[in-house]
Amino acid sequence: MNGTNRTDGVNADVDQRPAVSVVVIVYNDEARLPTAVRSVLEQTLRSVEVVIVDDHSTDGSYEVAARLAAEHPDRVRAYRLPQNSGGCGAPRNAGIRETRGEYVVFLDSDDVLERNACRNFLEAAESTGADLVSGLCVRVHVDTRNRKEVPWYPWLYTRTRTLDSVSELPDLLVYDTLSTNKCYRRDFLVEGGLLFPVGIHYEDLFFSAQAYAAARRIALIPNRVYDWNVVERAEAKSISNRRAEIANFAHRMEIHRRVDRLLAGQGMAELKFHKDVKFLKHDLVLHLRDLPFRDAAYRREFAELARAYLASIDPAAYDEVEPIHAVCAYLLRRGDWDNLLPAVDTLTNRDKVSAPLVERDGRIYWCAEHLDAPGEEGEFARRILDVTELGYHARPVGKLFLRNELTEYEQYAEGAGAGSGGRVRLAGRVTNPLGVIPVGARLSAALEFYARRPGVRFQTFRVPVADVRHEGRYLTWRAAIDISRTLRPLGIVDAVWDVRLHLDVDGERTTSRLTAAEPGLTGGGALPVRPRLTRLVADRVEPQISVRGHLAFRLVPDKKANVLVTRGLRGTPGKLAKSGYRKAKALRKKATSGDAKIRLYHEVFLRMPRQRRLVVFESHLGRQYSDSPRAIYEEMRRQGLDFEAVWSYTGRPEGFPADATLVRRWSLPYLRALARAEFWIDNQSFPLKLTKRPGTTYLQTWHGSALKRMGFDEPGWKLKTRAEQAEQQRTLDRFDHFLIRSEHDVRTLAKAFRLREKVLLRVGYPRNDALARARETDRTDRTDRTARTDRTARTEQRASLAAELGIPEISAIPPDKKILLYAPTFRHQGQRRFTLPFDVERFAETFGDEYVLLVRAHYLNHVVLPPSVRGRVVDVSGHHDVTPVLALADALITDYSSVMFDYALLDRPMVFFTYDYEEYVHEGRGTYFDLLERAPGPIVRTEDELHAVLRDSSLEEQTLKHAAARERFTADFGEYDKGTAARDVVDQFFSEWRRT
């Protein structure tokens, strides 16, 4: 039978072999079975049969299957196993034997096939000759209001591809272990003897591994083929979700061992490494997260099973997972429960610091235990337990999420025979990592109760904690709370109340949740409360532990009253109330959406009268108080101008000027200020969709000269449609004035943004005024001052700048020690943490006696320095305004960052560490000139070359050697930076605002 006839099935003979057989397995699922079968019968490919296999159900599942077979005798057949097998393997194997189609697909009775699944499977199989075709599975959370959908490992199915071996794409074997989103050639299954294991859970993992390993060709299609229906609140958990049963984990371990033996036998041992990585960061994690809820007996058995398998894991796999995953696996392997359970808390609650940590030899370790183990074991322990890169040591207490372990929970009565009365005694201990909370710190604390449900913040309740003590590696606290007087819920909408501790350390706050580390800690029953509406809603709360291990309290309604309340909620009044609430919520969401704000801006705020002398400032999209907008603002304040200043901020307003009005970016006050302002001043772009009124003047200071191609010179911009380019041009045409620091800017930025000549303002960058003045000071120092006076002046300058920047380490630097600044451009490495391209510890060891290295990562990157370089290498990335940092440095090390153009104004040495030049220039968006030809300093490509430049010549020699090149570079790229830009801008636009 040819493919065309199979596909349309118009004249297909009923006796002909079907193209696809779909094996539907069922056990006690009579209600959902018809839907699953219907999804097969309604396939756009008509040449499909259904083979239903009932695993000896005790409900009416088989009767439903038999009825479906009777209704569709040519397309549906039903079978029943003589006894229940307890799993999916036996019914699927039975189904394979009964299939007649050329291809086989598996479907569970609670799921459905996408309507075109069989057609897409068949077309891919016949066009590629594949033994196995796999498509996209989507998890559909059917008990959520909007049926949330989550694709299953979608990156595997972004495009069509054909593999001659699964070794070409190891992630397929490692991650997509489902058997149900695949189509198999029947002869491939039968001749290869491929069957599901019986009597053991996780049979899909082994069957899929067998199929992947045996397939001569595998086809992947980017089509949705299978809907995996998930019911989160199901009364009966699926087999794979019954993790409270130790047998569940035992089965998982056995399946993993079988897969390992299979891969070894098939000569695919290299795939095991990828599987080991996935085991550490996925399979093991699923069970580790449940350990705090399990008793001692379960933990012992779990550890024995896990350790036996962990011994087979390739040690190199630990390096491929997140540090906390590796730490947990290692501690489990060692049976170190005291350190493992806190680590599991961090595993469950990302970024929580649950261990006191230890610093040794300039590195940070999770714990001190195991570090001194002899030989290879000690080396392995130090490698795995090293958590320096997480940067805990570099964070102040206010930015640490600390573990707060609940050590006592006791319900008690105030007097003899008085009953509980709603009183609870709580105690806990807060982790103090690396002694971040000093012994003499002023401590105060309060417990806060708040409703968990999103949007419900009617009221929070706080109780002071009278007893907070510093006890070395931990802080302990105790509190007595009368729940009946403290907690006043409404009921129904605020059924769950969480608890957190606010701890103030010398005025700085850190907030933590209360972690219950041991099961059974919160016994004692329900506690009375006084609801604000009526006791009929609920008059008691009982303690519970959240899925993340934190203490909470849940309202316990009266059974009879709850029946009435529930009936009311499900009745007409309840439905109307809920419908009204949802409509109000949706209306509020719509009213505060971006589109609504844009309409409000144009239809309301722009019609308001312009406010004279109102200036809105913004730097780097509100992220910083810095750059040329800051320099102009401070010059306006210095001159005593009469104006109203508004600064926008994103995130937190700390660091922004106290003498200005601060507005959150995209807030209504922000939009109103922009609409009414007389001037806009920023260095990047105000929101693109906001039209500037004709009476507003927009001063665009920009944020650096261009090495990389910009604007319409970028390849990506050139590929945009005419409409998209026109829209972009409209946003650029809002600029009334664009600050220029050289004719290079005219040829590059101005041309790339298609700016008119009258827009260009050739005054230089206000942010660089300080650098131009510092250059003149340097020249005066070199000619007029003695060496002793020069050292004194340098010390004073460092102290002043260090105070401005809040970097006490710099003020302590001896005057004969030079300061180097490493300031690279932005790097996209898949995460915000930036990996330095050289060994910073080696650098500190080699040059620490001669130099102090400042590291300033791009504001979109994040760098972590190890404690071993403390005092010799300093992270200054958190200082938004780079200008004083540049002025502080005796020399600059950079790559392609635009700071090179600014630093050149100082006439100090520069080194260009271009370790990825070809990639950056040729694979990126291109450059306006060849940096290798015009760099005003040595070009180095490797770490050793960088060391050689710093070792073989002093900074004084570098200053003289490249003086001419620096002079040319400054003339080419900073000819208008004379040190008067801020004053010139203020004089030109704001002089009439001087107070009389």
Side-chain angles (χ1 to χ4, degrees):
M1 185 177 211
N2 62 48
T4 302
N5 287 337
R6 262 204 311 255
T7 300
D8 57 34
V10 175
N11 300 311
D13 190 327
V14 295
D15 293 329
Q16 291 179 318
R17 183 181 183 185
V20 178
S21 296
V22 180
V23 176
V24 182
I25 63 170
V26 61
Y27 176 70
N28 285 356
D29 197 19
E30 59 181 323
R32 291 180 292 189
L33 177 61
T35 302
V37 172
R38 192 182 312 120
S39 76
V40 182
L41 297 176
E42 294 177 355
Q43 288 288 299
T44 54
L45 177 72
R46 299 297 299 164
S47 183
V48 179
E49 70 165 356
V50 184
V51 177
I52 306 174
V53 182
D54 173 58
D55 197 10
H56 207 86
S57 297
T58 58
D59 68 352
S61 294
Y62 180 67
E63 286 72 19
V64 171
R67 187 180 71 245
L68 290 169
E71 292 172 354
H72 306 277
D74 300 329
R75 303 189 66 193
V76 180
R77 288 176 288 130
Y79 302 89
R80 190 184 196 204
L81 297 188
Q83 60 186 16
N84 180 253
S85 68
C88 300
R92 284 178 182 156
N93 291 340
I96 293 173
R97 290 193 295 270
E98 300 298 336
T99 56
R100 299 179 302 187
E102 291 183 48
Y103 295 91
V104 176
V105 173
F106 299 107
L107 173 64
D108 292 344
S109 61
D110 52 347
D111 300 330
V112 294
L113 289 180
E114 194 277 334
R115 191 164 181 265
N116 296 295
C118 290
R119 177 189 293 273
N120 290 326
F121 276 143
L122 182 63
E123 290 178 352
E126 293 193 330
S127 63
T128 64
D131 292 326
L132 184 160
V133 180
S134 188
L136 179 64
C137 169
V138 176
R139 285 169 60 94
V140 181
H141 295 259
V142 296
D143 55 350
T144 58
R145 185 177 303 153
N146 299 318
R147 290 176 61 91
K148 182 179 71 173
E149 296 186 352
V150 181
W152 184 256
Y153 299 113
W155 78 84
L156 296 170
Y157 299 99
T158 55
R159 61 184 176 86
T160 301
R161 61 177 114 181
T162 303
L163 311 173
D164 291 325
S165 169
V166 73
S167 298
E168 297 176 23
L169 186 62
D171 279 357
L172 191 61
L173 177 140
V174 171
Y175 290 97
D176 190 359
T177 56
L178 300 178
S179 64
T180 48
N181 62 329
K182 298 172 178 61
C183 174
Y184 312 85
R185 191 165 54 83
R186 187 180 188 278
D187 290 346
F188 163 69
L189 297 178
V190 174
E191 294 170 4
L194 299 183
L195 296 171
F196 289 86
V198 177
I200 188 170
H201 304 327
Y202 302 104
E203 58 281 313
D204 267 22
L205 272 70
F206 186 67
F207 180 81
S208 296
Q210 289 185 102
Y212 283 138
R216 294 170 301 171
R217 184 166 294 169
I218 301 168
L220 306 182
I221 56 176
N223 306 89
R224 179 174 181 163
V225 296
Y226 194 90
D227 282 7
W228 177 358
N229 290 329
V230 180
V231 182
E232 296 287 356
R233 294 184 289 272
E235 293 183 8
K237 293 290 185 182
S238 65
I239 292 173
S240 60
N241 283 328
R242 297 172 193 166
R243 293 193 292 272
E245 304 169 8
I246 194 63
N248 183 288
F249 187 63
H251 285 200
R252 186 186 287 271
M253 294 299 91
E254 174 58 25
I255 286 293
H256 273 283
R257 283 189 287 269
R258 292 188 189 185
V259 173
D260 291 346
R261 290 194 295 269
L262 169 71
L263 295 177
Q266 293 286 335
M268 296 180 170
E270 74 279 0
L271 293 180
K272 182 180 181 301
F273 175 79
H274 299 279
K275 186 175 150 301
D276 286 347
V277 172
K278 191 242 186 178
F279 177 82
L280 291 177
K281 69 181 183 181
H282 176 73
D283 300 72
L284 184 61
V285 168
L286 289 175
H287 295 268
L288 281 173
R289 285 175 175 160
D290 294 328
L291 283 183
F293 306 101
R294 307 291 176 245
D295 58 25
Y298 179 97
R299 292 176 185 175
R300 282 195 302 271
E301 251 188 290
F302 175 83
E304 290 176 8
L305 291 167
R307 283 202 298 265
Y309 187 73
L310 285 170
S312 71
I313 295 287
D314 187 335
Y318 286 79
D319 299 325
E320 301 299 319
V321 300
E322 292 186 27
I324 192 60
H325 293 161
V327 166
C328 286
Y330 177 80
L331 295 173
L332 176 62
R333 187 175 133 183
R334 294 300 300 265
D336 184 353
W337 291 99
D338 290 341
N339 288 304
L340 173 60
L341 289 177
V344 170
D345 195 8
T346 295
L347 187 70
T348 304
N349 299 277
R350 189 176 181 87
D351 292 332
K352 181 184 285 190
V353 189
S354 60
L357 309 177
V358 61
E359 180 179 341
R360 184 181 292 186
D361 300 325
R363 307 294 295 177
I364 305 299
Y365 296 96
W366 187 260
C367 57
E369 293 82 356
H370 319 297
L371 299 180
D372 297 322
E376 293 183 1
E377 182 59 35
E379 293 179 11
F380 186 57
R382 289 187 290 274
R383 191 177 99 222
I384 301 305
L385 298 176
D386 188 335
V387 292
T388 307
E389 71 173 74
L390 296 180
Y392 295 139
H393 60 283
R395 300 185 204 171
V397 66
K399 294 188 177 181
L400 287 172
F401 177 22
L402 301 177
R403 173 178 166 89
N404 185 357
E405 181 182 350
L406 188 65
T407 56
E408 181 182 345
Y409 177 95
E410 180 188 6
Q411 298 179 13
Y412 69 100
E414 190 171 25
S420 167
R423 292 178 171 81
V424 178
R425 186 176 291 113
L426 300 175
R429 64 175 193 172
V430 180
T431 301
N432 184 18
L434 302 170
V436 67
I437 303 174
V439 174
R442 300 188 313 275
L443 303 176
S444 63
L447 286 170
E448 181 181 77
F449 296 78
Y450 59 100
R452 178 183 299 175
R453 184 167 180 172
V456 179
R457 291 290 184 269
F458 301 118
Q459 191 172 352
T460 60
F461 304 98
R462 288 194 178 186
V463 179
V465 174
D467 186 6
V468 187
R469 300 183 183 182
H470 197 299
E471 296 189 6
R473 302 202 308 164
Y474 300 93
L475 274 75
T476 60
W477 59 271
R478 299 179 67 84
I481 304 165
D482 189 341
I483 294 291
S484 63
R485 294 180 180 275
T486 300
L487 196 60
R488 298 297 309 280
L490 282 173
I492 305 175
V493 296
D494 54 355
V496 180
W497 289 76
D498 291 307
V499 192
R500 59 188 173 193
L501 180 80
H502 295 299
L503 176 66
D504 285 330
V505 181
D506 288 332
E508 191 171 9
R509 172 171 293 182
T510 180
T511 300
S512 58
R513 300 286 301 276
L514 277 56
T515 297
E518 294 294 334
L521 179 65
T522 57
L527 298 157
V529 293
R530 293 183 299 155
R532 280 184 281 165
L533 293 179
T534 170
R535 291 182 182 274
L536 289 176
V537 175
D539 62 356
R540 294 168 298 152
V541 293
E542 61 182 9
Q544 69 170 31
I545 305 303
S546 72
V547 293
R548 293 185 176 273
H550 298 137
L551 175 66
F553 290 91
R554 176 179 288 277
L555 288 173
V556 182
D558 177 84
K559 290 184 179 180
K560 292 183 179 180
N562 190 49
V563 171
L564 296 175
V565 172
T566 302
R567 188 179 300 163
L569 289 174
R570 292 176 178 174
T572 301
K575 289 180 179 178
L576 289 174
K578 286 189 286 187
S579 175
Y581 171 75
R582 287 171 185 162
K583 287 180 180 178
K585 188 176 179 181
L587 184 62
R588 182 187 177 198
K589 183 178 180 181
K590 184 177 180 180
T592 57
S593 68
D595 289 341
K597 286 182 176 180
I598 292 171
R599 285 199 302 273
L600 185 66
Y601 173 86
H602 288 98
E603 297 174 9
V604 177
F605 293 154
L606 278 184
R607 296 180 180 179
M608 299 172 72
R610 191 188 70 178
Q611 182 176 341
R612 293 193 68 248
R613 302 193 180 191
L614 172 61
V615 185
V616 179
F617 297 87
E618 185 171 285
S619 179
H620 294 297
L621 307 180
R623 295 186 183 96
Q624 303 174 1
Y625 172 58
S626 66
D627 214 80
S628 292
R630 173 179 179 173
I632 295 173
Y633 170 76
E634 292 180 349
E635 177 65 18
M636 294 173 73
R637 288 299 188 201
R638 190 189 66 79
Q639 293 191 22
L641 303 188
D642 181 16
F643 71 105
E644 181 176 342
V646 171
W647 267 95
S648 88
Y649 69 92
T650 299
R652 300 170 66 93
E654 283 80 2
F656 285 80
D659 56 357
T661 300
L662 307 183
V663 295
R664 185 183 297 277
R665 200 171 196 264
W666 269 114
S667 66
L668 295 183
Y670 171 80
L671 297 176
R672 185 169 58 246
L674 282 177
R676 302 190 64 195
E678 187 171 350
F679 280 87
W680 291 359
I681 301 177
D682 92 310
N683 67 349
Q684 197 158 340
S685 178
F686 285 110
L688 303 181
K689 293 185 178 181
L690 301 185
T691 302
K692 179 179 68 67
R693 73 192 308 156
T696 298
T697 300
Y698 189 167
L699 295 182
Q700 174 55 255
T701 69
W702 203 240
H703 52 273
S705 296
L707 169 62
K708 303 180 290 289
R709 292 191 176 275
M710 302 290 293
F712 289 100
D713 289 341
E714 291 184 53
W717 281 41
K718 293 178 180 179
L719 294 175
K720 292 179 181 294
T721 65
R722 288 186 178 180
E724 290 171 331
Q725 290 190 23
E727 179 65 25
Q728 188 65 48
Q729 189 62 55
R730 276 193 291 272
T731 67
L732 296 171
D733 288 343
R734 295 181 303 174
F735 302 161
D736 293 297
H737 302 282
F738 188 90
L739 270 58
I740 295 295
R741 56 182 307 214
S742 72
E743 289 305 305
H744 169 77
D745 290 353
V746 177
R747 295 187 297 271
T748 56
L749 291 172
K751 176 176 173 292
F753 294 153
R754 299 176 180 173
L755 302 178
R756 294 160 295 172
E757 173 63 29
K758 68 178 183 178
V759 171
L760 307 184
L761 199 61
R762 292 171 169 84
V763 295
Y765 281 174
R767 73 180 187 194
N768 289 339
D769 290 348
L771 300 179
R773 291 194 295 268
R775 176 185 60 208
E776 296 307 314
T777 301
D778 283 355
R779 289 174 178 172
T780 301
D781 288 342
R782 284 197 293 266
T783 58
D784 296 345
R785 298 189 180 188
T786 65
R788 177 179 176 82
T789 305
D790 187 46
R791 285 197 299 270
T792 302
R794 186 67 176 138
T795 302
E796 292 174 353
Q797 181 191 32
R798 284 179 177 175
S800 174
L801 287 172
E804 178 184 346
L805 294 168
I807 312 174
E809 302 97 318
I810 295 176
S811 59
I813 298 173
D816 59 345
K817 187 177 281 192
K818 300 295 186 180
I819 296 177
L820 302 179
L821 171 64
Y822 177 55
T825 192
F826 171 69
R827 288 294 195 285
H828 182 71
Q829 297 179 328
Q831 56 184 2
R832 286 181 59 85
R833 183 170 292 119
F834 172 65
T835 302
L836 293 173
F838 58 91
D839 186 338
V840 68
E841 290 178 293
R842 178 190 172 200
F843 189 97
E845 186 66 28
T846 304
F847 300 107
D849 293 335
E850 185 178 358
Y851 300 117
V852 170
L853 179 67
L854 308 183
V855 175
R856 189 180 191 276
H858 189 277
Y859 68 87
L860 294 176
N861 289 133
H862 176 62
V863 68
V864 172
L865 299 176
S868 58
V869 302
R870 192 181 289 126
R872 296 175 293 174
V873 183
V874 182
D875 180 15
V876 295
S877 305
H879 301 282
H880 293 163
D881 200 347
V882 71
T883 301
V885 180
L886 294 176
L888 191 60
D890 294 297
L892 172 70
I893 304 171
T894 188
D895 45 16
Y896 324 102
S897 173
S898 62
V899 297
M900 70 174 78
F901 302 111
D902 301 324
Y903 194 80
L905 297 172
L906 291 166
D907 194 25
R908 298 176 189 169
M910 289 189 280
V911 178
F912 295 85
F913 188 16
T914 58
Y915 58 91
D916 57 351
Y917 184 79
E918 283 73 20
E919 176 185 350
Y920 186 85
V921 172
H922 301 301
E923 296 182 18
R925 61 191 192 216
T927 60
Y928 284 115
F929 63 89
D930 189 345
L931 180 63
L932 301 184
E933 294 180 357
R934 301 181 67 175
I939 298 283
V940 295
R941 308 296 287 270
T942 67
E943 181 177 354
D944 288 339
E945 290 179 7
L946 174 63
H947 281 221
V949 166
L950 297 175
R951 182 181 61 246
D952 297 341
S953 61
S954 66
L955 295 187
E956 289 75 13
E957 290 178 278
Q958 289 288 337
T959 301
L960 295 173
K961 183 177 180 180
H962 299 279
R966 285 197 306 278
E967 186 176 355
R968 287 194 301 271
F969 195 81
T970 304
D972 289 342
F973 302 108
E975 59 187 295
Y976 301 128
D977 278 323
K978 304 300 183 183
T980 60
R983 189 185 65 203
D984 291 345
V985 169
V986 172
D987 288 348
Q988 180 170 344
F989 296 100
F990 308 108
S991 58
E992 64 182 37
W993 293 359
R994 292 191 176 95
R995 299 178 189 272
T996 57

